[in-house]
Amino acid sequence: MRHEEVLDALGAEIANGALAPGTVLRSEELQERFGASRTVAREVVRVLETMQLTSSKRRVGVIVREQAEWNHYDPRLIRWQLDGLARPAALATLNELRSAIEPCAARYAALRATPEERGRLGALGERLARTARARDLSAFLGFDIAFHDLLLTASRNPMFGQLSEVVAEVLTGRTGHGLMPPEPQPEAVALHVEVAAAVAAGEPDRAERAMRDIVVQARDEIAALVAEGGPEVE
C-alpha cells in the first residue's frame, strides 16, 4: 500500500478509538498487515509522531498516546474523526471552537481588513447567494471555505488565521457526510452577506453578532439532522 493509504487507515483507527492509548505498534507488524515496505512504515510512524498521536520508546516500540496529548488542530486528525465513530464528539468540540473564535475574528476583520479584502468578502457573499439559489452545493462549499478563510485572515490575528484549515475541514465534513440541508438555508446565506456588509462598513459589533448567529445556526442544523436519524457512520 502507498504511504497515504497506510497513514489514513492507521490514523483513522487511532482517531476513532480502534487503537486505544497505550497500544504498541511495531514496524514489522505494520509492514505485514498493510503489505508496506519498511520505508513506508517508518514514514507513517514519523507522521503520526509529528501529529502527537504516537511516541516512540526504546525497546518497546511506537505507543499510541493519550487523547489529551494529540494535536487536535491537525486537519488530518479532524478529517479522520469526522469520517468515523468520533464524529458526534468531534462536531461538538469543533462547533465550540468556532463559536469562540469566528465571531471575534469577524469583529477584528471589521476593524482591520484592507479595502481589497472588504471588497472580496462582499463578492464571496454574493457568490454564496447565487450558488445557494442554484442548489450547487459543491460550488457553495468552495465559496463558503474561501469566505471563512478570508475572514480569519482579515482579522490580522495570525493565530486565528491558522485555524482556516480547521474550519475548512468542518465545512467539508458537514457537506460530505450529509450534515448540511439539501439546499443552503436563506437565513444562513443572508447572515454571510450581513457579515460581509458589516466588515465593509467597519462595524465590529454588527459583524460579531452576525457571525455568532451563523455558528449558532450551524450547531442547530447539525443537532436537528442528528436527531432525525442523520447519516450513519461508515
Side-chain angles (χ1 to χ4, degrees):
M1 294 178 70
R2 294 184 299 115
H3 165 267
E4 288 298 325
E5 293 173 330
V6 178
L7 177 61
D8 282 340
L10 203 56
E13 290 182 0
I14 295 172
N16 289 281
L19 292 174
T23 300
V24 176
L25 308 175
R26 293 183 173 82
S27 180
E28 297 79 8
E29 294 173 357
L30 296 179
Q31 292 172 54
E32 181 178 351
R33 177 185 169 190
F34 293 105
S37 67
R38 179 181 299 180
T39 299
V40 166
R42 286 179 175 174
E43 180 61 19
V44 166
V45 166
R46 186 192 67 79
V47 174
L48 293 174
E49 288 187 356
T50 64
M51 297 173 67
Q52 297 172 237
L53 296 180
T54 63
S55 59
S56 294
K57 184 174 290 188
R58 193 173 182 182
R59 296 180 182 174
V60 176
V62 177
I63 304 170
V64 177
R65 298 177 71 166
E66 294 292 334
Q67 187 175 2
E69 299 173 337
W70 299 352
N71 176 12
H72 289 278
Y73 293 100
D74 193 298
R76 289 166 298 192
L77 176 56
I78 293 169
R79 184 167 65 251
W80 294 332
Q81 291 174 323
L82 293 178
D83 284 347
L85 295 172
R87 185 187 304 159
L91 284 169
T93 54
L94 288 163
N95 196 74
E96 289 174 6
L97 177 68
R98 291 188 66 193
S99 297
I101 298 300
E102 289 199 89
C104 191
R107 162 175 285 277
Y108 288 120
L111 295 170
R112 299 168 177 170
T114 66
E116 190 266 341
E117 287 170 333
R118 296 174 199 269
R120 281 172 51 207
L121 202 63
L124 285 168
E126 293 172 4
R127 290 177 182 136
L128 284 170
R130 186 169 64 250
T131 53
R133 288 193 296 269
R135 296 190 177 187
D136 187 344
L137 288 182
S138 177
F140 183 89
L141 173 62
F143 291 133
D144 200 18
I145 289 172
F147 184 97
H148 290 273
D149 172 63
L150 179 56
L151 191 77
L152 290 164
T153 301
S155 73
R156 291 294 173 278
N157 184 317
M159 298 184 77
F160 289 176
Q162 287 190 3
L163 291 174
S164 178
E165 285 187 280
V166 172
V167 174
E169 286 295 339
V170 177
L171 298 174
T172 301
R174 283 193 66 194
T175 299
H177 293 295
L179 293 170
M180 282 281 286
E183 177 181 353
Q185 297 300 296
E187 297 86 354
V189 176
L191 285 170
H192 282 75
V193 174
E194 170 69 2
V195 169
V199 170
E203 298 179 12
D205 289 344
R206 179 184 168 197
E208 181 176 4
R209 184 168 56 250
M211 180 54 68
R212 190 169 303 283
D213 288 344
I214 287 174
V215 294
V216 167
Q217 185 179 56
R219 179 200 65 196
D220 292 346
E221 285 176 353
I222 292 171
L225 285 165
V226 171
E228 291 170 3
E232 295 293 327
V233 174
E234 292 79 0

